[in-house]
Amino acid sequence: MKYRFEAISRDGEMFSGLVDAVGEREALRQIEAQGASALSIDGVDDVPRGRGGRLRSQDVVQALDEFCTLLESEIGVAEAIEALLQADYHRDILGFFNHVNLKVQSGENLSEAFRSASLDLPNVVLQLVESGEATGELAECLREAVGQLQYSQRVQREFRNALTYPAILVLSGIGAIGLIFVFVVPRFASLVRGNDDMPWLASVVINGGMWFNAHWYLILAAVVAIALAVTIQLRDVSTRRRLLNGAAELPLIGIWLNERDIGNWSSSMAALLNNRVELVLALKISLDTVQLDSRKQRLQRVDQAVRGGDSLAAALEDNRVLQATAYNLVRVGEKTGRLPQMMRSVANICEENRKNRTTQLLALIEPVAILVIGLVIGVLILGVILAITSVNDVAL
């Protein structure tokens, strides 16, 4: 990598430049070989261009997974980072590893370099890296961190996949309704023009279709404006949190979201405790994985109770954080010293329940969407038929 330096020659002249060296010590030797004494030397953030675009969470997980694989192959940290800097990752990831490389070469710990980097990593990952350095099991702890990130991604992916089909169904229905207004209604409007005896439903459908065709540009502008406003609002963290807390109060979706939160929390607790992180610190760190305010407040009370001397199982049960069967698992884990394994079991139970809830959610959304769309289209068609029969004075 490159180092920028300022030096003084034997003649007392100040000068600056760049040297290409493996480390800072080699850069100093190169400067001394020129017959000069270095006054200052700094690593240059010389990062390969890499891929642009939006940084996806799976890109981060893939890079950390490769880093973990290299460490598991008994390759040193510096050598592993140098190998990653040659890969075709996103430019932000390459910048992250370049920053870590500079910090490690300057004498900082890997965990400190991770914390000072611009890449936004969850606290559970940072703590696991720090724990791995402290115990000498960096590769194992980093593998646990990667597994935790993959677990969170899997939960989000399942939710998106569950909503894909209903979303396509709703958009298709809206498109069908738009086609009726654009192509069907105007063809029959000329036949019933001037007929003041149309039923109210026929009048609403025909006049609505004609207004739609006459002001389509206003409707299109309104749809675009609403879409932009929604997109901007959803980018706001506080807005997303309010929507999430509101959805948590709904009958079926609320149970799904609560189980997702419990699963994330239990999984992170299992990962931290399994890598010798103290219980109190694990409770504090895993709290960041919880998204619902009500659940987070309960876990904060659990944290205070444990600090006050209560057992984890008793504190969880007093604040009604978990399901009834999960308290027994935590209680047994505390008695037998197998709390990490029991917390992993709680996470597995929540994951299985969440999958079942997803199936129930799909089973509810799909028929409701079909029923609503079919009802709207049926009303429009009925309005057109009523308009035609009113002209010919034909009874339905």
Side-chain angles (χ1 to χ4, degrees):
M1 65 179 299
K2 292 182 174 59
Y3 288 87
R4 181 179 292 109
F5 68 90
E6 291 185 358
I8 183 170
S9 66
R10 292 175 181 174
D11 299 332
E13 295 182 359
M14 301 279 295
F15 69 98
S16 61
L18 286 173
V19 293
D20 194 357
V22 176
E24 187 173 323
R25 292 183 179 180
E26 183 181 339
L28 289 172
R29 285 196 295 268
Q30 291 185 25
I31 297 170
E32 292 173 355
Q34 300 176 20
S37 299
L39 299 176
S40 64
I41 184 169
D42 295 298
V44 179
D45 192 16
D46 183 24
V47 185
R49 288 185 57 84
R51 290 183 281 109
R54 185 175 64 89
L55 178 62
R56 302 174 302 173
S57 58
Q58 51 262 43
D59 294 332
V60 178
V61 174
Q62 181 182 355
L64 291 177
D65 182 61
E66 184 175 347
F67 183 40
C68 181
T69 303
L70 292 172
L71 295 178
E72 288 173 340
S73 302
E74 299 183 356
I75 295 177
V77 172
E79 187 177 354
I81 294 175
E82 289 290 345
L84 290 171
L85 288 174
Q86 306 304 317
D88 184 28
Y89 284 121
H90 191 279
R91 63 185 58 164
D92 290 346
I93 295 177
L94 294 176
F96 164 77
F97 280 115
N98 187 73
H99 170 85
V100 171
N101 192 31
L102 292 174
K103 293 297 183 180
V104 169
Q105 289 190 6
S106 66
E108 285 191 11
N109 293 330
L110 183 64
S111 58
E112 295 173 350
F114 268 50
R115 291 183 186 277
S116 61
S118 58
L119 198 63
D120 188 18
L121 294 173
N123 283 335
V124 62
V125 174
L126 301 175
Q127 183 59 44
L128 285 171
V129 172
E130 183 177 344
S131 176
E133 286 186 307
T135 59
E137 299 176 351
L138 180 59
E140 291 80 358
C141 290
L142 189 58
R143 175 61 64 192
E144 195 80 48
V146 170
Q148 182 62 31
L149 292 176
Q150 290 173 339
Y151 178 87
S152 300
Q153 281 189 352
R154 186 166 63 251
V155 172
Q156 295 176 1
R157 186 169 58 250
E158 287 176 1
F159 186 68
R160 286 196 301 266
N161 292 341
L163 293 181
T164 298
Y165 177 71
I168 294 175
L169 191 64
V170 170
L171 291 176
S172 300
I174 293 174
I177 294 170
L179 290 175
I180 291 175
F181 273 120
V182 172
F183 296 105
V184 178
V185 173
R187 290 182 178 273
F188 292 97
S190 58
L191 299 177
V192 299
R193 188 173 296 153
N195 183 9
D196 297 331
D197 296 329
M198 284 191 301
W200 67 270
L201 180 59
S203 178
V204 169
V205 171
I206 296 299
N207 292 329
M210 296 304 296
W211 185 90
F212 183 93
N213 279 271
H215 302 88
W216 63 268
Y217 53 92
L218 294 177
I219 297 173
L220 180 61
V223 170
V224 172
I226 292 173
L228 288 175
V230 170
T231 302
I232 293 172
Q233 286 297 317
L234 289 178
R235 289 179 178 176
D236 182 59
V237 177
S238 59
T239 301
R240 291 202 303 268
R241 187 172 63 249
R242 287 196 299 270
L243 290 174
L244 193 65
N245 289 323
E249 301 299 326
L250 299 177
L252 191 56
I253 297 178
I255 297 175
W256 190 95
L257 291 174
N258 277 281
E259 287 179 341
R260 185 194 67 172
D261 257 10
I262 295 173
N264 286 337
W265 177 80
S266 302
S267 179
S268 63
M269 282 289 293
L272 291 167
L273 294 174
N274 191 51
N275 289 278
R276 306 174 190 175
V277 177
E278 294 181 358
L279 176 60
V280 174
L281 182 57
L283 284 170
K284 179 180 179 182
I285 295 172
S286 60
L287 195 63
D288 294 335
T289 64
V290 180
Q291 296 182 329
L292 298 178
D293 289 344
S294 59
R295 186 71 53 182
K296 183 171 290 189
Q297 290 170 1
R298 293 182 186 183
L299 286 171
Q300 286 173 341
R301 293 195 293 268
V302 169
D303 185 21
Q304 294 173 358
V306 171
R307 291 175 185 272
D310 291 350
S311 67
L312 178 61
L316 291 171
E317 190 169 9
D318 290 343
N319 291 279
R320 294 176 294 117
V321 176
L322 306 176
Q323 299 173 347
T325 55
Y327 299 127
N328 294 329
L329 292 174
V330 177
R331 192 175 293 110
V332 170
E334 286 185 301
K335 290 181 179 179
T336 61
R338 297 174 58 85
L339 185 57
Q341 291 83 348
M342 294 298 103
M343 295 303 299
R344 184 73 68 188
S345 298
V346 173
N348 292 336
I349 292 173
C350 291
E351 185 171 7
E352 188 64 29
N353 290 339
R354 192 184 66 251
K355 290 180 180 179
N356 294 334
R357 300 290 181 188
T358 302
T359 303
Q360 294 177 5
L361 189 63
L362 282 175
L364 177 65
I365 291 178
E366 290 177 14
V368 169
I370 293 173
L371 180 63
V372 171
I373 293 171
L375 182 62
V376 173
I377 294 176
V379 168
L380 295 178
I381 298 299
L382 180 62
V384 173
I385 294 174
L386 287 174
I388 296 173
T389 55
S390 67
V391 174
N392 296 287
D393 196 23
V394 177
L396 289 176

